[in-house]
Amino acid sequence: MTPASNTTWQADPALTLPDYAGGSLVNLMSSIATALGGASPYSPVSTLPPDALSGAHHLVLLVVDGLGHDFLFGRDGILRRHLRGSLTSVFPSTTASAIPTFLTGLAPQQHGLTGWNMYFREVGAIVTPLPFRIRTGRHALREAGVTPAQLFGLPPLFDRLPLPCHVVSPRQIIHSDFNVALSGKATRHAYESVDGMFALIAGLLRIPAPRSYIHAYWPEIDALAHEFGIGSAPVADAFAALDTAFGKLLEVAHASGSRIIVTADHGFIDADETIDLDDHPGLRDTLLLPLCGEPRAAYAYVRSGRERQFENYVRTHLADRVHLLRSDEILRQGWLGPGSPHPALRDRLGDYVLLPRGRAILRDWLMGEEHYRHVGMHGGLSAAEMIVPLVVAPLP
C-alpha cells in the first residue's frame, strides 16, 4: 500500500528504542544460550558476556514481570545491591513480545509476536497469543483445532540447549497452550506463592548433577501495577516480599556454585489520559480492522484508498497526543530487531503504528467487550517502560 503522504519518523529524544547491538533482552538471551552450549544469531549482552556465566553449575533466569529499572534503582534491598546494569526491552515493551524472546531466544523480528492483540491472517481473526484465544468471544483456539505450534511455528530455546531445563511458573498458566508449546523439553513446575516459587528454585539448585538451566517467571508486580499503579502500596509490598525471598535464595546459590539473573520484560507508567476511538468515529471509519497491538503501541489496518483521510485525521485531531508512523518505517529502522523478518511479520503490524505521547493510551473496544481500566500501563517507548534491570548474583 502506497502512503498518501510522507509519514517519515522524526526521532523523539523522549523515546527509548531497543538496543539490539548489545544492550537488550535479545542480547541477554544470546549470552545465556551461548554460555549453556547453545547458539544465537545475535551479539551477546556487552555487560554480561557468556564467559561470565559459563562456570555456573546451575543458571537461573528469573523474569519479574513489570519490574522497571527505575523502580528497582529507587529501592534499597538485596536485589538493588546486586544490580549490574540495565537493558532495554524489545518493541513493543510488553509481555506478549518479550516473553517469547525469553522462551525462544529470538527477537520480535524473528518470532513475529507483536502485542497483546494481533491479527493472524492464518486464522482470519484477531487473537490474544498468550491466553491463545480469539479476542471476540474469548474462545480458545484449540476449539478450532489450532495449536501454538501450528500458528507460531517457533522453536523453544530449551530444545536447543544440551542440558536439562526447567520452567517455574504460576499454577494457573503452567500448563497453558502457550506455555506448553514454548517450554519444549523443559520440565514444568507450578507454584502458588512467591515463597513457593523460591522453594522450587532452591530445590533445583540443590541437585548436585547434572548442570541445568532454570527459567522462572513471577507476574505479581505486573498484575498489581495494572490495577493500582506502579507507585502503589500493594506493588511496594509485593516487591518487598520478592526481595526478602531472593535474599534467602542467594545462600543456596552460593553453596551450589550457581548463578541467578533477574530481569524483567518491561517497566511501567501510570496512564493519565485515554484516547477512546468511540470519541473519534471519523478515525474509526477509515479502519479495516480494530486497532491491534497495545494501548501504548497500536497497529492500524487502514481501508484501501483511505490512507490520506486516516493520516489527515490523526494530524488534525491527535497530532499533539499521538506519534504517527508507517509500519514499514519501524521495520526499516529495526525496532523489532536485526536480521530477516518472520514471514508473517508484515501482516501483523498493519499499515501504521500509533504511539501515544506522554502517558496517554489508545482504546478501541469491540462490541460486547467488557470495558476495564488499567492504572499502570506499558508497551510504549518511554524510558520507564523500556529500561529494565540486569541483576546478577553472585556477581561474577
Side-chain angles (χ1 to χ4, degrees):
M1 186 180 293
T2 302
S5 59
N6 181 21
T7 60
T8 300
W9 168 248
Q10 299 297 319
D12 183 338
L15 302 183
T16 301
L17 293 176
D19 177 14
Y20 298 119
S24 75
L25 297 178
V26 173
N27 307 105
L28 172 63
M29 297 313 299
S30 175
S31 286
I32 289 173
T34 304
L36 296 175
S40 172
Y42 314 101
S43 301
V45 70
S46 56
T47 54
L48 192 64
D51 288 350
L53 302 173
S54 59
H57 179 52
H58 299 294
L59 182 61
V60 180
L61 174 65
L62 171 57
V63 178
V64 180
D65 198 327
L67 181 64
H69 176 269
D70 286 352
F71 180 94
L72 176 58
F73 193 78
R75 285 159 176 78
D76 190 24
I78 300 168
L79 283 162
R80 168 68 178 83
R81 290 196 288 275
H82 288 84
L83 185 64
R84 186 180 180 92
S86 64
L87 301 169
T88 68
S89 184
V90 298
F91 178 81
S93 55
T94 184
T95 307
S97 295
I99 291 298
T101 288
F102 289 122
L103 296 179
T104 67
L106 301 174
Q109 180 90 338
Q110 282 76 46
H111 67 57
L113 297 179
T114 59
W116 185 253
N117 291 315
M118 290 178 56
Y119 170 64
F120 282 87
R121 185 178 181 277
E122 299 91 327
V123 295
I126 297 175
V127 171
T128 51
L130 292 189
F132 204 63
R133 64 193 183 206
I134 303 294
R135 180 180 177 185
T136 306
R138 301 164 69 89
H139 298 294
L141 277 169
R142 79 170 78 90
E143 296 175 11
V146 178
T147 68
Q150 293 171 321
L151 190 56
F152 303 152
L154 297 175
L157 173 63
F158 308 104
D159 291 354
R160 308 197 303 274
L161 298 178
L163 74 175
C165 299
H166 303 270
V167 170
V168 178
S169 202
R171 186 170 301 280
Q172 62 267 29
I173 65 171
I174 188 67
H175 300 307
S176 70
D177 293 337
F178 181 92
N179 214 28
V180 169
L182 291 187
S183 293
K185 73 172 186 181
T187 303
R188 299 189 302 277
H189 307 266
Y191 69 83
E192 295 183 352
S193 67
V194 66
D195 290 335
M197 177 182 73
F198 280 104
L200 277 171
I201 298 171
L204 294 170
L205 294 185
R206 291 188 177 103
I207 297 174
R211 186 185 188 211
S212 72
Y213 173 52
I214 302 159
H215 169 98
Y217 170 71
W218 194 59
E220 196 68 13
I221 286 179
D222 178 84
L224 293 170
H226 276 307
E227 184 174 0
F228 300 107
I230 189 61
S232 66
V235 169
D237 291 344
F239 174 78
L242 174 77
D243 196 68
T244 298
F246 176 76
K248 296 176 183 176
L249 184 65
L250 286 189
E251 300 175 11
V252 183
H254 276 289
S256 64
S258 301
R259 184 150 291 140
I260 306 169
I261 301 168
V262 183
T263 190
D265 47 355
H266 57 77
F268 262 92
I269 61 164
D270 287 349
D272 61 3
E273 179 186 11
T274 298
I275 303 167
D276 194 326
L277 257 63
D278 287 345
D279 300 325
H280 297 274
L283 181 61
R284 178 175 276 159
D285 187 53
T286 68
L287 299 178
L288 181 64
L289 296 173
L291 292 178
C292 296
E294 299 281 337
R296 291 281 294 161
Y299 308 129
Y301 294 78
V302 178
R303 297 176 186 271
S304 180
R306 305 290 288 275
E307 296 89 352
R308 185 179 298 277
Q309 181 183 350
F310 171 84
E311 292 181 11
N312 287 343
Y313 190 99
V314 174
R315 291 196 179 101
T316 301
H317 300 282
L318 296 171
D320 60 333
R321 291 183 285 170
V322 175
H323 290 292
L324 172 64
L325 300 90
R326 290 287 307 188
S327 297
D328 288 340
E329 180 73 4
I330 74 164
L331 286 176
R332 185 184 68 80
Q333 295 197 21
W335 288 21
L336 282 82
S340 300
H342 187 285
L345 186 61
R346 185 63 187 81
D347 288 339
R348 298 175 183 179
L349 291 175
D351 304 298
Y352 296 86
V353 180
L354 299 173
L355 292 175
R357 299 175 186 266
R359 294 189 289 153
I361 63 170
L362 274 165
R363 288 290 192 193
D364 188 8
W365 301 107
L366 302 186
M367 186 179 295
E369 192 169 42
E370 181 183 356
H371 291 212
Y372 58 87
R373 177 178 178 267
H374 280 160
V375 178
M377 298 297 298
H378 55 80
L381 289 171
S382 72
E385 295 162 278
M386 281 294 297
I387 307 298
V388 297
L390 176 60
V391 171
V392 184
L395 284 168

